[in-house]
Amino acid sequence: MGDQFDIRGSSFSGSALGTGATVNNHGSGGVSVADLLAALAGSREEIAGAAPEADRQEVRDALARIEEELRRDDPRPAVVGSRWNTITSLIGTLSEPVAKVAELVTKLFG
């Protein structure tokens, strides 16, 4: 099997090959999926508690689905982003733990 590259967060100009090609890899700033999983596990109840009581179970379910997706061999950014958007739309104001997780989600999945 050939080389594999993670190009999330990268931008390209010119040709990918040849003279004048440039690649800027902004990457995830040293953040890993394991970091995001740890942040979610450490703040799950604080995040759910930030939602109105009627929405807390939905937030817990969305968090569980995000964690499940992150445990895949190749987590799908669209799935993580969609579930995270559900959470932030239910919570409204971003508390400290929510803001920290939001930053990690953005760094990893744009």
Side-chain angles (χ1 to χ4, degrees):
M1 193 155 120
D3 295 333
Q4 294 182 359
F5 302 94
D6 181 355
I7 59 170
R8 287 177 284 188
S10 300
S11 63
F12 300 87
S13 64
S15 171
L17 300 171
T19 306
T22 60
V23 177
N24 298 307
N25 187 358
H26 305 288
S28 58
V31 175
S32 70
V33 169
D35 295 330
L36 178 53
L37 276 168
L40 286 170
S43 57
R44 184 181 302 118
E45 283 308 309
E46 287 179 84
I47 293 171
E53 188 157 345
D55 296 325
R56 287 184 186 155
Q57 189 55 50
E58 187 174 353
V59 170
R60 286 185 186 101
D61 292 344
L63 287 168
R65 289 184 180 138
I66 289 172
E67 290 176 15
E68 181 180 309
E69 184 66 29
L70 293 173
R71 287 187 177 92
R72 291 174 45 112
D73 288 337
D74 189 19
R76 298 168 294 182
V79 173
V80 174
S82 173
R83 301 286 186 222
W84 185 250
N85 286 338
T86 296
I87 292 168
T88 58
S89 71
L90 293 170
I91 290 175
T93 307
L94 297 184
S95 64
E96 166 100 22
V98 176
K100 178 181 177 182
V101 172
E103 181 180 345
L104 294 173
V105 168
T106 301
K107 283 183 178 180
L108 285 169
F109 300 106

